[in-house]
Amino acid sequence: MKKRVDLPEKKYEGYIFDLDGTLVDSMPLHYRAWREALARAGAPDHVFRADEFYSCGGKSANDVVCFLNERYGMHMDAASTAADKRRIYLEMLEKEGMQPIREVVEFVHSLGDAPKAIATGSAMPGASRTLFDVILTPDEVEHGKPAPDMFLKAAELLGVAPDRCVVFEDAEPGMKAAEAAGMDCVQVRRPSLA
């Protein structure tokens, strides 16, 4: 199997991780849940294919629906479509489970007591607070990714200057947010959804 991430050799004072597609291999499940929820909401089949899905990585579910409405001239209810997507995702998760991204999770364990945070676009992160000092969701900041708010707040809560933190991300909006926050970024490569 192809390596998903090139781990940094440099030591940092703070480590910030995205969740979906970075710590857990949940993106295929999220994609399928989105496709089902959008079909139920009346979206045509060509809407939100893999490239669009990945371009929205790190955005809240409501923001994704608003983006699709604007882009395709649709009128899906953002709150109900986002809630339906979350429900479908949780049902799939319960039936199928999900695997951690081994290389990244092993790296997290190797960090010991170093300050660590999760800054995720997911409304309900499924991560253990025993491994992480801080877990942030879009509800806790004014602007989600690609704005730097989540990463800056994570650094603040960790008590580490932003330029002494590194972010692990799989999606372009998250990588842009890390850059805007003045942080180094390690890309976690994603598998194909085809």
Side-chain angles (χ1 to χ4, degrees):
M1 179 188 234
K2 196 174 187 181
K3 222 169 122 175
R4 297 279 298 268
V5 64
D6 296 317
L7 297 171
E9 293 181 16
K10 179 180 174 181
K11 298 291 182 206
Y12 293 87
E13 292 180 23
Y15 296 83
I16 304 171
F17 297 84
D18 176 45
L19 178 64
D20 294 302
T22 300
L23 288 168
V24 293
D25 205 6
S26 57
M27 298 312 278
L29 213 58
H30 276 291
Y31 182 64
R32 287 178 29 228
W34 267 118
R35 300 289 303 148
E36 188 172 326
L38 292 172
R40 289 179 184 183
D45 190 53
H46 69 277
V47 170
F48 214 48
R49 288 304 190 173
D51 58 339
E52 261 182 334
F53 167 73
Y54 277 129
S55 75
C56 289
K59 290 185 179 186
S60 74
N62 282 10
D63 288 347
V64 169
V65 177
C66 291
F67 162 77
L68 293 173
N69 281 340
E70 185 176 316
R71 183 166 191 177
Y72 292 100
M74 297 183 300
H75 303 284
M76 296 179 290
D77 181 76
S80 64
T81 304
D84 194 33
K85 183 269 177 184
R86 281 190 285 277
R87 184 189 53 71
I88 294 166
Y89 172 77
L90 291 173
E91 287 172 2
M92 290 177 172
L93 182 61
E94 187 175 313
K95 287 180 189 173
E96 301 175 32
M98 134 183 12
Q99 295 297 313
I101 297 177
R102 182 190 46 78
E103 298 144 283
V104 180
V105 172
E106 287 175 1
F107 181 72
V108 169
H109 285 285
S110 78
L111 294 172
D113 291 338
K116 298 176 285 298
I118 291 177
T120 177
S122 291
M124 297 177 267
S128 169
R129 287 212 179 260
T130 60
L131 287 177
F132 294 90
D133 305 296
V134 172
I135 299 178
L136 291 173
T137 67
D139 295 338
E140 299 169 74
V141 293
E142 186 173 346
H143 304 286
K145 302 169 191 176
D149 300 26
M150 290 186 79
F151 296 141
L152 292 172
K153 184 168 185 175
E156 177 187 337
L157 293 172
L158 290 174
V160 178
D163 65 347
R164 296 185 183 274
C165 292
V166 63
V167 171
F168 286 71
E169 259 290 351
D170 70 307
E172 188 67 29
M175 289 183 265
K176 287 180 178 177
E179 181 181 349
M183 299 177 182
D184 288 346
C185 188
V186 173
Q187 181 180 13
V188 179
R189 291 177 285 281
R190 52 189 176 224
S192 171
L193 291 176

